[in-house]
Amino acid sequence: MERFGLVGLPNAGKSSLYNALTNGAALAAPYPFATKDPNIGVAKVLDPRLDALAEMSKTQKTVYATVEVVDIGGLVEGASKGEGLGNKFLANIREVDAIVFVLRAFEDDDIPGPSDPLEHLRIVEIELALADLETVETRLSRAQKTSRMDKSVTEEMEALERAQVHLAEGRPLYRAGITEDDRALLAPHFLLTARRVLAVVNVAEDKIDTIPEMEAIVRAELAPPGSASANDVEVLGMSVQLEAEAAQLTGQDRIDMLEALGLGEGALPRMVRSAYHLLGLRTYFTTGEKETRAWTFNAGAKAPECAGKIHTDLQRGFIRADVIAWDELLAIGSWNKAKDLGKIRVEGKDYEVCDGDTLEIRHNS
Ligand code: GDP
């Protein structure tokens, strides 16, 4: 399962966002870590396409895709120099696939800390870059020693040297436009800033009309169009407090509250979808009377690999996939009708599955 880590200064709204994201999901998925670590939870990837297919199939059970969310506390200004919990927070971040910055933009005299999201961004980025610099310098001196005996580490050493130049200037690697080759060479070092970033700008509950403006301010600083970070960073504004309140409601009450506030489906589904997009994740569906389910796969994966998400037997014994796009199926109204109309395509092992495909896998058991 993919894992997102929430990172930010104290009182930015991380715990509130964590609660909003994982609310109710614990019921959806019994989860081994849940009892061990209160800061790791599971969030449902809400998806209206899945809901529509479930309704069409009058399905007994709807299974959403899920992601893990980790609330990473402990980052304060000077953490890389040992302030607060020091570098302890870093161990948790190394294990996440994408970093979610929570940047505070709400003012509240009772809650300490800056309310300028760019100030939050500056501190968070410098702490992460300094932490990476420390890692890179340690690894570099080791690599320099071994490279004398073993020329195969030269490439890795050079990648570390290039990273060091950026980090020493306080530039996180997602802003540095590092090549895919360098990214691969640096991967074993689990650098924090060598991953993709989603920045959540947390605006006040009574200032939701400023969301577009706040997003634009943060985007202009973090990922201006055409910049090295433009593809690796996304920015999303929301009122974490309102989202958290809505997340406590269920069904129609939740929809009514969000609609009354003009928040549409709410920002949380969009947030999870943005993170999915950043990580190159895609979704396909299976649907029937018993179960309608979303499956996560990596963009570009072929049909057998996608079948393997359901069960390795389906990958091993893969014969073919019957395929139709979710919206086409929905417009027709049922799988059998689509079949009668000849709208179900038969695809072989080289088929690259598309986001939103509905599949039925044929396999040898
Ligand atoms: P964390 O330290 O980053 O985990 O931040 P928390 O989620 O614990 O939030 C810190 C405090 O700010 C709590 O008292 C929250 O209720 C409050 N808070 C979070 N988001 C908002 C918001 O959008 N508006 C206001 N007024 N308070 C908020």
Side-chain angles (χ1 to χ4, degrees):
M1 207 189 300
E2 308 300 322
R3 188 179 273 199
F4 304 157
L6 308 183
V7 179
L9 298 183
N11 293 329
K14 295 183 297 298
S15 306
S16 309
L17 181 58
Y18 172 85
N19 289 333
L21 282 169
T22 57
N23 197 304
L27 299 172
Y31 188 62
F33 288 140
T35 49
K36 281 193 231 146
D37 189 340
N39 296 322
I40 303 181
V42 176
K44 259 198 264 185
V45 180
L46 294 173
D47 190 332
R49 299 172 301 177
L50 181 71
D51 296 331
L53 288 175
E55 201 179 312
M56 179 199 82
S57 299
K58 300 195 177 41
T59 211
Q60 289 162 20
K61 193 167 142 208
T62 306
V63 184
Y64 295 84
T66 50
V67 293
E68 283 180 3
V69 184
V70 194
D71 182 357
I72 299 168
L75 192 155
V76 294
E77 182 155 30
S80 56
K81 298 191 211 85
E83 294 293 323
L85 294 173
N87 270 346
K88 288 212 181 67
F89 73 95
L90 299 174
N92 288 323
I93 312 187
R94 297 199 193 281
E95 293 169 13
V96 307
D97 300 295
I99 291 182
V100 179
F101 287 166
V102 183
L103 308 174
R104 173 171 165 184
F106 70 87
E107 289 185 36
D108 189 326
D109 293 341
D110 298 329
I111 300 173
S115 59
D116 174 1
L118 296 185
E119 174 74 1
H120 279 253
L121 181 64
R122 187 185 65 75
I123 299 170
V124 168
E125 288 201 294
I126 202 82
E127 293 303 328
L128 296 187
L130 287 174
D132 273 353
L133 182 62
E134 203 180 304
T135 309
V136 164
E137 286 178 341
T138 311
R139 302 300 167 95
L140 201 51
S141 66
R142 208 180 300 159
Q144 278 157 347
K145 273 186 212 125
T146 39
S147 74
R148 281 186 223 124
M149 335 269 283
D150 176 2
K151 289 291 161 213
S152 69
V153 299
T154 308
E155 275 194 335
E156 184 180 341
M157 196 179 74
E158 287 168 359
L160 284 165
E161 282 168 355
R162 283 189 287 273
Q164 186 189 27
V165 172
H166 292 295
L167 296 166
E169 289 170 6
R171 186 179 310 119
L173 295 176
Y174 53 75
R175 282 181 182 252
I178 54 171
T179 61
E180 281 305 316
D181 285 350
D182 272 11
R183 201 188 281 277
L185 287 164
L186 295 171
H189 302 292
F190 294 103
L191 297 175
L192 308 171
T193 67
R195 28 198 111 204
R196 298 188 161 85
V197 168
L198 172 65
V200 168
V201 189
N202 181 11
V203 305
E205 59 281 18
D206 56 356
K207 297 244 172 64
I208 50 178
D209 53 321
T210 66
I211 287 175
E213 185 190 327
M214 284 297 173
E215 275 178 354
I217 289 172
V218 173
R219 192 173 291 116
E221 169 56 35
L222 185 58
S227 68
S229 54
N231 289 327
D232 289 345
V233 175
E234 284 198 30
V235 179
L236 184 67
M238 69 172 87
S239 162
V240 169
Q241 185 144 314
L242 290 180
E243 297 291 337
E245 281 168 25
Q248 303 214 326
L249 306 172
T250 50
Q252 196 58 40
D253 289 344
R254 181 181 140 79
I255 295 169
D256 289 348
M257 171 177 171
L258 290 169
E259 258 175 23
L261 292 164
L263 293 174
E265 61 171 345
L268 300 180
R270 258 191 300 141
M271 181 192 152
V272 177
R273 282 203 296 271
S274 291
Y276 249 54
H277 178 80
L278 274 179
L279 293 174
L281 300 176
R282 303 287 181 268
T283 307
Y284 77 85
F285 305 105
T286 51
T287 186
E289 258 176 47
K290 269 205 190 121
E291 184 181 274
T292 296
R293 182 160 181 162
W295 303 90
T296 301
F297 64 98
N298 289 309
K302 304 230 163 95
E305 189 184 330
C306 291
K309 301 285 174 191
I310 301 176
H311 199 286
T312 45
D313 286 352
L314 271 64
Q315 181 163 6
R316 219 175 304 125
F318 180 89
I319 301 171
R320 57 170 226 235
D322 293 347
V323 184
I324 182 169
W326 77 277
D327 48 351
E328 205 183 342
L329 175 61
L330 200 69
I332 295 171
S334 86
W335 186 273
N336 286 339
K337 210 159 141 196
K339 205 174 217 170
D340 293 344
L341 291 170
K343 295 289 185 186
I344 305 278
R345 303 188 323 267
V346 174
E347 300 283 3
K349 61 180 173 26
D350 289 330
Y351 177 63
E352 269 189 26
V353 177
C354 302
D355 188 57
D357 274 351
T358 309
L359 300 190
E360 214 174 87
I361 309 293
R362 305 280 158 169
H363 67 107
N364 284 318
S365 49

PDB file of all heavy atoms in Angstrom, residues 9-17 71 106-108 111 202-205 239-241, ligand 1:
ATOM      1  N   LEU A   9       5.115  22.167  10.621  1.00  0.00           N
ATOM      2  CA  LEU A   9       5.449  22.691  11.942  1.00  0.00           C
ATOM      3  C   LEU A   9       4.306  22.405  12.917  1.00  0.00           C
ATOM      4  O   LEU A   9       3.177  22.132  12.497  1.00  0.00           O
ATOM      5  CB  LEU A   9       5.679  24.205  11.852  1.00  0.00           C
ATOM      6  CG  LEU A   9       6.840  24.642  10.961  1.00  0.00           C
ATOM      7  CD1 LEU A   9       7.005  26.161  11.012  1.00  0.00           C
ATOM      8  CD2 LEU A   9       8.130  23.954  11.385  1.00  0.00           C
ATOM      9  N   PRO A  10       4.592  22.493  14.211  1.00  0.00           N
ATOM     10  CA  PRO A  10       3.524  22.312  15.193  1.00  0.00           C
ATOM     11  C   PRO A  10       2.372  23.293  14.940  1.00  0.00           C
ATOM     12  O   PRO A  10       2.619  24.427  14.502  1.00  0.00           O
ATOM     13  CB  PRO A  10       4.214  22.637  16.525  1.00  0.00           C
ATOM     14  CG  PRO A  10       5.664  22.410  16.271  1.00  0.00           C
ATOM     15  CD  PRO A  10       5.898  22.731  14.837  1.00  0.00           C
ATOM     16  N   ASN A  11       1.169  22.841  15.179  1.00  0.00           N
ATOM     17  CA  ASN A  11      -0.041  23.665  15.037  1.00  0.00           C
ATOM     18  C   ASN A  11      -0.377  24.072  13.599  1.00  0.00           C
ATOM     19  O   ASN A  11      -1.117  25.029  13.383  1.00  0.00           O
ATOM     20  CB  ASN A  11       0.029  24.925  15.897  1.00  0.00           C
ATOM     21  CG  ASN A  11       0.000  24.578  17.366  1.00  0.00           C
ATOM     22  OD1 ASN A  11      -0.604  23.576  17.746  1.00  0.00           O
ATOM     23  ND2 ASN A  11       0.658  25.366  18.178  1.00  0.00           N
ATOM     24  N   ALA A  12       0.178  23.353  12.641  1.00  0.00           N
ATOM     25  CA  ALA A  12      -0.162  23.644  11.251  1.00  0.00           C
ATOM     26  C   ALA A  12      -1.491  22.989  10.878  1.00  0.00           C
ATOM     27  O   ALA A  12      -2.153  23.407   9.931  1.00  0.00           O
ATOM     28  CB  ALA A  12       0.948  23.146  10.326  1.00  0.00           C
ATOM     29  N   GLY A  13      -1.869  21.937  11.623  1.00  0.00           N
ATOM     30  CA  GLY A  13      -3.115  21.233  11.326  1.00  0.00           C
ATOM     31  C   GLY A  13      -2.913  19.795  10.881  1.00  0.00           C
ATOM     32  O   GLY A  13      -3.825  19.181  10.330  1.00  0.00           O
ATOM     33  N   LYS A  14      -1.727  19.244  11.152  1.00  0.00           N
ATOM     34  CA  LYS A  14      -1.422  17.870  10.714  1.00  0.00           C
ATOM     35  C   LYS A  14      -2.349  16.840  11.348  1.00  0.00           C
ATOM     36  O   LYS A  14      -2.914  15.993  10.665  1.00  0.00           O
ATOM     37  CB  LYS A  14       0.022  17.489  11.059  1.00  0.00           C
ATOM     38  CG  LYS A  14       1.061  18.281  10.347  1.00  0.00           C
ATOM     39  CD  LYS A  14       2.453  17.798  10.694  1.00  0.00           C
ATOM     40  CE  LYS A  14       2.813  17.961  12.164  1.00  0.00           C
ATOM     41  NZ  LYS A  14       2.807  19.367  12.612  1.00  0.00           N
ATOM     42  N   SER A  15      -2.480  16.920  12.678  1.00  0.00           N
ATOM     43  CA  SER A  15      -3.310  15.913  13.360  1.00  0.00           C
ATOM     44  C   SER A  15      -4.756  16.025  12.915  1.00  0.00           C
ATOM     45  O   SER A  15      -5.436  15.012  12.736  1.00  0.00           O
ATOM     46  CB  SER A  15      -3.242  16.082  14.870  1.00  0.00           C
ATOM     47  OG  SER A  15      -1.911  16.069  15.267  1.00  0.00           O
ATOM     48  N   SER A  16      -5.218  17.257  12.740  1.00  0.00           N
ATOM     49  CA  SER A  16      -6.604  17.446  12.287  1.00  0.00           C
ATOM     50  C   SER A  16      -6.793  16.828  10.903  1.00  0.00           C
ATOM     51  O   SER A  16      -7.796  16.159  10.639  1.00  0.00           O
ATOM     52  CB  SER A  16      -6.952  18.929  12.223  1.00  0.00           C
ATOM     53  OG  SER A  16      -6.629  19.573  13.433  1.00  0.00           O
ATOM     54  N   LEU A  17      -5.830  17.040  10.031  1.00  0.00           N
ATOM     55  CA  LEU A  17      -5.928  16.486   8.681  1.00  0.00           C
ATOM     56  C   LEU A  17      -5.850  14.960   8.727  1.00  0.00           C
ATOM     57  O   LEU A  17      -6.605  14.261   8.035  1.00  0.00           O
ATOM     58  CB  LEU A  17      -4.794  17.049   7.800  1.00  0.00           C
ATOM     59  CG  LEU A  17      -4.757  16.583   6.357  1.00  0.00           C
ATOM     60  CD1 LEU A  17      -6.056  16.910   5.623  1.00  0.00           C
ATOM     61  CD2 LEU A  17      -3.572  17.204   5.605  1.00  0.00           C
ATOM     62  N   ASP A  71       1.095  10.517  10.401  1.00  0.00           N
ATOM     63  CA  ASP A  71       1.222  11.857  10.978  1.00  0.00           C
ATOM     64  C   ASP A  71       2.627  11.948  11.575  1.00  0.00           C
ATOM     65  O   ASP A  71       2.912  11.329  12.597  1.00  0.00           O
ATOM     66  CB  ASP A  71       0.149  12.027  12.065  1.00  0.00           C
ATOM     67  CG  ASP A  71       0.169  13.412  12.683  1.00  0.00           C
ATOM     68  OD1 ASP A  71       1.040  14.224  12.324  1.00  0.00           O
ATOM     69  OD2 ASP A  71      -0.700  13.672  13.541  1.00  0.00           O
ATOM     70  N   PHE A 106      -3.984  29.907   8.555  1.00  0.00           N
ATOM     71  CA  PHE A 106      -5.061  30.477   9.374  1.00  0.00           C
ATOM     72  C   PHE A 106      -4.479  31.243  10.555  1.00  0.00           C
ATOM     73  O   PHE A 106      -3.432  30.881  11.085  1.00  0.00           O
ATOM     74  CB  PHE A 106      -6.028  29.388   9.859  1.00  0.00           C
ATOM     75  CG  PHE A 106      -5.457  28.449  10.888  1.00  0.00           C
ATOM     76  CD1 PHE A 106      -5.495  28.751  12.251  1.00  0.00           C
ATOM     77  CD2 PHE A 106      -4.881  27.240  10.507  1.00  0.00           C
ATOM     78  CE1 PHE A 106      -4.979  27.888  13.207  1.00  0.00           C
ATOM     79  CE2 PHE A 106      -4.366  26.364  11.458  1.00  0.00           C
ATOM     80  CZ  PHE A 106      -4.408  26.687  12.800  1.00  0.00           C
ATOM     81  N   GLU A 107      -5.155  32.314  10.917  1.00  0.00           N
ATOM     82  CA  GLU A 107      -4.722  33.097  12.071  1.00  0.00           C
ATOM     83  C   GLU A 107      -5.578  32.752  13.259  1.00  0.00           C
ATOM     84  O   GLU A 107      -6.792  32.573  13.125  1.00  0.00           O
ATOM     85  CB  GLU A 107      -4.862  34.589  11.766  1.00  0.00           C
ATOM     86  CG  GLU A 107      -3.834  35.043  10.762  1.00  0.00           C
ATOM     87  CD  GLU A 107      -3.883  36.543  10.532  1.00  0.00           C
ATOM     88  OE1 GLU A 107      -4.144  37.265  11.510  1.00  0.00           O
ATOM     89  OE2 GLU A 107      -3.659  36.959   9.382  1.00  0.00           O
ATOM     90  N   ASP A 108      -4.954  32.611  14.397  1.00  0.00           N
ATOM     91  CA  ASP A 108      -5.692  32.354  15.621  1.00  0.00           C
ATOM     92  C   ASP A 108      -4.757  32.728  16.768  1.00  0.00           C
ATOM     93  O   ASP A 108      -3.715  32.095  16.969  1.00  0.00           O
ATOM     94  CB  ASP A 108      -6.087  30.860  15.683  1.00  0.00           C
ATOM     95  CG  ASP A 108      -7.051  30.585  16.830  1.00  0.00           C
ATOM     96  OD1 ASP A 108      -6.925  31.257  17.884  1.00  0.00           O
ATOM     97  OD2 ASP A 108      -7.900  29.693  16.681  1.00  0.00           O
ATOM     98  N   ILE A 111      -3.541  30.120  19.184  1.00  0.00           N
ATOM     99  CA  ILE A 111      -2.734  28.975  18.724  1.00  0.00           C
ATOM    100  C   ILE A 111      -1.381  29.487  18.248  1.00  0.00           C
ATOM    101  O   ILE A 111      -1.292  30.227  17.273  1.00  0.00           O
ATOM    102  CB  ILE A 111      -3.468  28.210  17.600  1.00  0.00           C
ATOM    103  CG1 ILE A 111      -4.812  27.699  18.140  1.00  0.00           C
ATOM    104  CG2 ILE A 111      -2.626  27.048  17.090  1.00  0.00           C
ATOM    105  CD1 ILE A 111      -5.710  27.071  17.120  1.00  0.00           C
ATOM    106  N   ASN A 202      -3.511  25.283   4.661  1.00  0.00           N
ATOM    107  CA  ASN A 202      -4.640  25.203   5.595  1.00  0.00           C
ATOM    108  C   ASN A 202      -5.176  26.601   5.901  1.00  0.00           C
ATOM    109  O   ASN A 202      -4.604  27.331   6.701  1.00  0.00           O
ATOM    110  CB  ASN A 202      -4.169  24.498   6.877  1.00  0.00           C
ATOM    111  CG  ASN A 202      -5.274  24.331   7.897  1.00  0.00           C
ATOM    112  OD1 ASN A 202      -6.454  24.545   7.592  1.00  0.00           O
ATOM    113  ND2 ASN A 202      -4.890  23.952   9.109  1.00  0.00           N
ATOM    114  N   VAL A 203      -6.278  26.968   5.245  1.00  0.00           N
ATOM    115  CA  VAL A 203      -6.832  28.313   5.445  1.00  0.00           C
ATOM    116  C   VAL A 203      -7.909  28.300   6.531  1.00  0.00           C
ATOM    117  O   VAL A 203      -8.473  27.253   6.849  1.00  0.00           O
ATOM    118  CB  VAL A 203      -7.428  28.910   4.141  1.00  0.00           C
ATOM    119  CG1 VAL A 203      -6.408  28.905   3.013  1.00  0.00           C
ATOM    120  CG2 VAL A 203      -8.665  28.157   3.720  1.00  0.00           C
ATOM    121  N   ALA A 204      -8.183  29.479   7.071  1.00  0.00           N
ATOM    122  CA  ALA A 204      -9.167  29.598   8.155  1.00  0.00           C
ATOM    123  C   ALA A 204     -10.549  29.189   7.665  1.00  0.00           C
ATOM    124  O   ALA A 204     -10.885  29.380   6.488  1.00  0.00           O
ATOM    125  CB  ALA A 204      -9.198  31.030   8.665  1.00  0.00           C
ATOM    126  N   GLU A 205     -11.353  28.661   8.600  1.00  0.00           N
ATOM    127  CA  GLU A 205     -12.679  28.158   8.225  1.00  0.00           C
ATOM    128  C   GLU A 205     -13.596  29.274   7.720  1.00  0.00           C
ATOM    129  O   GLU A 205     -14.512  29.024   6.953  1.00  0.00           O
ATOM    130  CB  GLU A 205     -13.319  27.397   9.393  1.00  0.00           C
ATOM    131  CG  GLU A 205     -13.520  28.184  10.688  1.00  0.00           C
ATOM    132  CD  GLU A 205     -12.249  28.322  11.519  1.00  0.00           C
ATOM    133  OE1 GLU A 205     -11.132  28.114  10.987  1.00  0.00           O
ATOM    134  OE2 GLU A 205     -12.355  28.658  12.719  1.00  0.00           O
ATOM    135  N   SER A 239      -9.749  24.229   4.078  1.00  0.00           N
ATOM    136  CA  SER A 239      -9.844  24.470   5.503  1.00  0.00           C
ATOM    137  C   SER A 239      -9.864  23.114   6.172  1.00  0.00           C
ATOM    138  O   SER A 239     -10.858  22.390   6.113  1.00  0.00           O
ATOM    139  CB  SER A 239     -11.112  25.240   5.863  1.00  0.00           C
ATOM    140  OG  SER A 239     -11.349  25.072   7.257  1.00  0.00           O
ATOM    141  N   VAL A 240      -8.747  22.767   6.781  1.00  0.00           N
ATOM    142  CA  VAL A 240      -8.630  21.446   7.402  1.00  0.00           C
ATOM    143  C   VAL A 240      -9.721  21.265   8.451  1.00  0.00           C
ATOM    144  O   VAL A 240     -10.322  20.198   8.576  1.00  0.00           O
ATOM    145  CB  VAL A 240      -7.227  21.267   8.018  1.00  0.00           C
ATOM    146  CG1 VAL A 240      -7.161  20.025   8.887  1.00  0.00           C
ATOM    147  CG2 VAL A 240      -6.180  21.197   6.919  1.00  0.00           C
ATOM    148  N   GLN A 241      -9.999  22.361   9.176  1.00  0.00           N
ATOM    149  CA  GLN A 241     -10.996  22.260  10.244  1.00  0.00           C
ATOM    150  C   GLN A 241     -12.380  21.879   9.700  1.00  0.00           C
ATOM    151  O   GLN A 241     -13.043  20.997  10.237  1.00  0.00           O
ATOM    152  CB  GLN A 241     -11.073  23.589  10.975  1.00  0.00           C
ATOM    153  CG  GLN A 241     -11.995  23.539  12.158  1.00  0.00           C
ATOM    154  CD  GLN A 241     -11.449  24.396  13.291  1.00  0.00           C
ATOM    155  OE1 GLN A 241     -10.261  24.322  13.619  1.00  0.00           O
ATOM    156  NE2 GLN A 241     -12.286  25.209  13.879  1.00  0.00           N
TER     157      GLN A 241
HETATM  158  P1  GDP B   1      -0.487  19.820  14.380  1.00  0.00           P
HETATM  159  O1  GDP B   1       0.323  20.271  15.530  1.00  0.00           O
HETATM  160  O2  GDP B   1       0.134  20.250  13.076  1.00  0.00           O
HETATM  161  O3  GDP B   1      -0.843  18.381  14.384  1.00  0.00           O
HETATM  162  O4  GDP B   1      -1.835  20.680  14.431  1.00  0.00           O
HETATM  163  P2  GDP B   1      -3.287  20.272  14.987  1.00  0.00           P
HETATM  164  O5  GDP B   1      -4.057  19.588  13.943  1.00  0.00           O
HETATM  165  O6  GDP B   1      -3.153  19.617  16.299  1.00  0.00           O
HETATM  166  O7  GDP B   1      -3.911  21.726  15.144  1.00  0.00           O
HETATM  167  C1  GDP B   1      -3.379  22.616  16.108  1.00  0.00           C
HETATM  168  C2  GDP B   1      -4.493  23.477  16.591  1.00  0.00           C
HETATM  169  O8  GDP B   1      -4.954  24.314  15.530  1.00  0.00           O
HETATM  170  C3  GDP B   1      -5.706  22.695  17.088  1.00  0.00           C
HETATM  171  O9  GDP B   1      -6.210  23.357  18.234  1.00  0.00           O
HETATM  172  C4  GDP B   1      -6.667  22.780  15.924  1.00  0.00           C
HETATM  173  O10 GDP B   1      -8.009  22.706  16.360  1.00  0.00           O
HETATM  174  C5  GDP B   1      -6.344  24.134  15.372  1.00  0.00           C
HETATM  175  N1  GDP B   1      -6.655  24.224  13.932  1.00  0.00           N
HETATM  176  C6  GDP B   1      -6.326  23.356  12.940  1.00  0.00           C
HETATM  177  N2  GDP B   1      -6.806  23.786  11.751  1.00  0.00           N
HETATM  178  C7  GDP B   1      -7.452  24.957  12.009  1.00  0.00           C
HETATM  179  C8  GDP B   1      -8.169  25.889  11.207  1.00  0.00           C
HETATM  180  O11 GDP B   1      -8.330  25.719   9.975  1.00  0.00           O
HETATM  181  N3  GDP B   1      -8.687  26.978  11.838  1.00  0.00           N
HETATM  182  C9  GDP B   1      -8.524  27.195  13.179  1.00  0.00           C
HETATM  183  N4  GDP B   1      -9.037  28.282  13.735  1.00  0.00           N
HETATM  184  N5  GDP B   1      -7.889  26.337  13.958  1.00  0.00           N
HETATM  185  C10 GDP B   1      -7.349  25.238  13.399  1.00  0.00           C
END
